[in-house]
Amino acid sequence: VVEPTGADTNVAGYFGGNVGIGTSAPASRLHVNNSSSAAGLFVRGYSTADLLTSIQAFWKLEESSGNRADEVGGNTLTDNNTVTQATGKIGNAGQFTAANSEYLSIVDNASLSAGNIDFSIGAWVYVDTAASRFILTKQNTADAGAAYWTSKEYALFLDTTFQVSVGSGAGSDISGTNYVIVDSGVAPTAATWYYIVAWHDAAADTVNIQVNNGTVTSSASYTGGSHDSANPFVIGRRQF
């Protein structure tokens, strides 16, 4: 790490515990000013500025027990039934034992709610056994029958393959009007890490999913979007 001198600001500098790239006055631990090819910090084609734009929550789940901290905001997750810890993809990860109904949750708030807007969700996932289970969801997990699906705003789940669902909160059919499910076609192998990302494109009216930077699977036109409910946000709660 070198300290910027003269007029050349396209270098990295260390200043009192903060690292600056393209700035001599970093305001955070890593401060990138005008992230571009000149600044020299790109991740898979996206600058750090792109990756952080509009991010609402990020959980490392590295804690050994108890509540799990949100690294970018105030969405601390409450521990229910003692979620434990295991070796993660990077560092440690939360371990959710289905037999104990272990999960993490937080009550509804605007930062985790969606609507008929652009939004994306992503997670590193490791399964011991490929049982059907929600990975993360924002819905009333006590619902059953048709309401089981339509009450949700969004969900990542495993049902033989990794899938995503988005619900408008109206009706009970799977016609593509009231809710939609998109199947990645990727069936996980036990004891293997997968990175899953899913997103709603409000302009194109599609819901999309991708696993391990592979093929993107998209829905047919879906105009319902995600409704904005009072349901909690939950990681790892229930099988179905």
Side-chain angles (χ1 to χ4, degrees):
V1 177
V2 295
E3 194 165 317
T5 59
D8 185 1
T9 59
N10 293 322
V11 291
Y14 178 82
F15 304 86
N18 293 337
V19 174
I21 297 177
T23 177
S24 60
S28 58
R29 290 188 177 181
L30 176 61
H31 183 158
V32 181
N33 184 39
N34 188 28
S35 182
S36 65
S37 57
L41 182 63
F42 267 68
V43 180
R44 292 181 59 193
Y46 294 92
S47 71
T48 50
D50 294 326
L51 293 171
L52 295 175
T53 298
S54 300
I55 188 170
Q56 299 299 307
F58 173 57
W59 300 279
K60 292 182 178 180
L61 305 185
E62 287 195 314
E63 296 88 343
S64 60
S65 63
N67 296 344
R68 269 57 169 185
D70 175 7
E71 300 296 320
V72 299
N75 289 301
T76 297
L77 299 174
T78 298
D79 179 21
N80 300 273
N81 301 325
T82 316
V83 175
T84 56
Q85 183 189 69
T87 300
K89 180 67 175 178
I90 300 174
N92 295 312
Q95 179 164 308
F96 302 82
T97 302
N100 297 338
S101 299
E102 295 171 7
Y103 66 99
L104 301 169
S105 64
I106 184 172
V107 297
D108 171 59
N109 68 77
S111 67
L112 297 178
S113 291
N116 197 4
I117 60 172
D118 291 337
F119 66 90
S120 59
I121 51 179
W124 279 104
V125 177
Y126 177 105
V127 295
D128 295 311
T129 56
S132 297
R133 188 166 189 83
F134 282 113
I135 297 165
L136 63 84
T137 183
K138 193 169 188 299
Q139 74 176 112
N140 183 352
T141 53
D143 283 339
Y148 181 74
W149 293 106
T150 57
S151 72
K152 82 167 64 61
E153 293 183 39
Y154 51 82
L156 276 181
F157 62 98
L158 172 62
D159 186 8
T160 304
T161 55
F162 292 120
Q163 303 180 40
V164 61
S165 181
V166 172
S168 69
S172 61
D173 65 90
I174 193 169
S175 65
T177 300
N178 299 322
Y179 76 97
V180 64
I181 296 174
V182 184
D183 188 344
S184 71
V186 177
T189 300
T192 303
W193 282 101
Y194 294 87
Y195 183 70
I196 309 163
V197 61
W199 64 98
H200 174 246
D201 186 325
D205 285 327
T206 58
V207 177
N208 314 272
I209 188 169
Q210 184 184 38
V211 180
N212 287 349
N213 199 33
T215 302
V216 174
T217 305
S218 301
S219 68
S221 180
Y222 170 69
T223 59
S226 170
H227 72 121
D228 183 357
S229 74
N231 294 328
F233 176 88
V234 179
I235 297 178
R237 177 163 188 179
R238 95 183 227 184
Q239 292 179 275
F240 59 90

